[in-house]
Amino acid sequence: WSMPTQFFTGPAAAAGIALVTMVANVGSFVGPTLIGILKTQTGTYTIAFLLLGGLAVIAALLALRIGPAQAGRAEQPTAAN
């Protein structure tokens, strides 16, 4: 929840936090459902956890891509000071 407040302030930050919360709530429903479906179809948890692990790696790479470089630009003072 800290990333939206690095890029936005005020109402935009609140909307960013709401988006993160919504995605987390959807994921908490879809994740176990997907694991159950894949377990039923394949008879093992291997495919389900490989998929979830792959999605976690993709999420980490995306977070690293937008992390420090863009956050540093958002904190730079303007020339008007």
Side-chain angles (χ1 to χ4, degrees), residues 8-19:
F8 305 113
T9 60
I17 292 169
L19 177 65

Side-chain angles (χ1 to χ4, degrees), residues 49-64:
F49 284 110
L50 286 174
L51 174 65
L52 293 176
L55 292 173
V57 168
I58 290 169
L61 292 173
L62 288 172
L64 287 173

Side-chain angles (χ1 to χ4, degrees), residues 60-77:
L61 292 173
L62 288 172
L64 287 173
R65 179 153 164 63
I66 65 168
Q70 290 185 3
R73 276 188 255 147
E75 295 173 7
Q76 292 177 352

Side-chain angles (χ1 to χ4, degrees), residues 14-54:
I17 292 169
L19 177 65
V20 169
T21 302
M22 189 231 12
V23 169
N25 286 331
V26 170
S28 69
F29 173 76
V30 173
T33 303
L34 182 62
I35 289 173
I37 290 170
L38 290 173
K39 166 75 165 83
T40 301
Q41 296 295 319
T42 64
T44 181
Y45 288 108
T46 303
I47 299 295
F49 284 110
L50 286 174
L51 174 65
L52 293 176

